[in-house]
Amino acid sequence: MALQPLRVAAEARGSGDFTPLWAGQGAPLAKVRDAAALTRALAGGADRLR
């Protein structure tokens, strides 16, 4: 990766300027909820797929 040396140097200085932060197009669809609610939602979705 061509940016790897820049990333390593920036992160060593405490900078995230070259750190990839991939969120994708779905990031705005994220919902704030606690881990228990997320686990229940994931389990419920998995049950419906059976």
Side-chain angles (χ1 to χ4, degrees):
M1 179 163 140
L3 292 178
Q4 187 66 21
L6 293 172
R7 176 183 176 188
V8 170
E11 289 178 356
R13 293 190 328 266
S15 171
D17 289 347
F18 291 93
T19 302
L21 301 173
W22 301 317
Q25 295 178 359
L29 300 174
K31 298 175 183 161
V32 177
R33 55 181 149 180
D34 61 28
L38 176 58
T39 303
R40 283 191 298 274
L42 291 171
D47 282 343
R48 284 191 294 276
L49 292 174
R50 284 199 259 169

